[in-house]
Amino acid sequence: MDNQDDSIQIQELEKTNRILRKKLERCESERRQLETDICTKEFLLKKVICELEDSRTDLQHRGQKLENTLDSLHKMQAQMIQSEKMSALGQMVAGIAHEINNPVSFIYGNLSYISQYTHDLLRLVELYHHHFPNPPAEIQTERKTVDLEFLEKDAIMVLNSMNIGTERIRNIVLSLRNFSRLDESEFKAVDIHEGIDNTLMILQHRFKATDKSPEIQVIKDYECYAGQINQVFMNILVNALDALEEFNAKRTYQEIRNNPSHITIRTSVVDSQWVQIAIADNGSGIPESIQKQIFNPFFTTKPVGKGTGMGMAISYQIITEKHGGKLEFFSTSGKGTEFMVKIPIQQQVSEII
C-alpha cells in the first residue's frame, strides 16, 4: 500500500515538474519574442536615423544654393529640426518603452511565483530524500542522471539572474519613459537630478570598459533640487564621451590607467536665483580656433554620419530661449572642457514659448 502511495506521489511530482517545465518553456519563448521585438525596434530606429541623415545632406546642398539667405535659413531649420526631432524621438522612445514594458512586466510578475514553486518543489524533494534515503534503483539512477544536487543550486541561481535581468530592463524602460516625457510637454517644475540620472542610465553602455580603455568614471556632486532639458544633458554628455574616446585613441592603455578618463557633473544654487549644472570632462579640450563656432547650426568636427552639427545649437536655443537661462563653456587645450548650464529658479511661464 505504501509503494502504491509513493508511486502516486511520484506521478504527481512528475506531473508538477512537467507543468513547471512547460511554464519555463513558455517564459523562454516569450523572452525570445521580446528579443526579436527589441531587434525590430532597433532596426526601425536605425532606419529613421538614416533618413534624418539623408535629410540633413539634402538640406546642406540646398543651403549652398541659397547662401545669400543662409543665416535666416539656419535659424528656421534649427527650430523645425528641434520640433520634429523631439516629437519623433519622444513618440518612438515612449512607444518602444511601452512595448518592452508589457512583456517584461509579465515576466517579472511571474518570476516570484516560479521562484516560490521551485523552492517548494526542491523542499519537497529534500523531504522525500530525508524520509526515503533508499529509494528504488530507478529513482536513484534518474537522480544521478539529472544531477539533482547541481540542479538544486543552479535553479536558484538562474532564477536570481533572471530577476536581476528583468529588474535592469524595467529600470531602463523607466529611464526611457522619463527621458522622453511625452506626456509632460508643458512647462513645470522638475527634478534636475532625475533628468541627469535618467540620461546617464541611457548612456551607461558608453561608460563601460573596453579592450582599448578602462571604464570612464562618472563623478556626481549634487547640491540642490531643481522633456527638453534632458535633450541638453544628452547632447553635452554625448559630446563629452566622444571627446574622451577621441582623446583616448591617441593614448596607450597604461597612460589611460595612470590618468583615468572621467566626467564630472556638479549641481548647485547660485545667489538663490539660479540652478547651475556643470558637466566637465578631462579630454583634450576644444581648439581655440573653433570655440566661437560651437553653438552655430550645422557646425561639426565629426565625420559624416556621426554628427549633424545641430546638437549644441539646439541645446543653446532650449536653454536661452525656452528657459531664459545661459549656456556657456570653458575649455583648455590638453585639460578638458566644462559646460555650464544656468537656469532661473523662478521663471515667467508666459515668456516660455
Side-chain angles (χ1 to χ4, degrees), residues 293-328:
Q293 304 178 68
I294 293 300
F295 298 126
N296 290 347
F298 298 110
F299 174 78
T300 179
T301 59
K302 299 176 183 178
V304 175
K306 192 170 183 180
T308 62
M310 293 302 299
M312 296 313 302
I314 291 174
S315 297
Y316 187 84
Q317 182 185 20
I318 290 173
I319 296 300
T320 58
E321 297 184 16
K322 300 290 186 180
H323 293 83
K326 301 176 182 179
L327 177 57
E328 304 170 330

Side-chain angles (χ1 to χ4, degrees), residues 200-225:
L200 289 174
M201 171 71 75
I202 296 172
L203 293 173
Q204 192 173 39
H205 67 283
R206 295 285 303 274
F207 293 92
K208 294 181 178 180
T210 65
D211 56 347
K212 296 182 179 179
S213 65
E215 177 183 10
I216 296 176
Q217 301 173 0
V218 179
I219 304 171
K220 295 190 289 187
D221 183 9
Y222 294 169
E223 297 181 1
C224 66
Y225 298 92

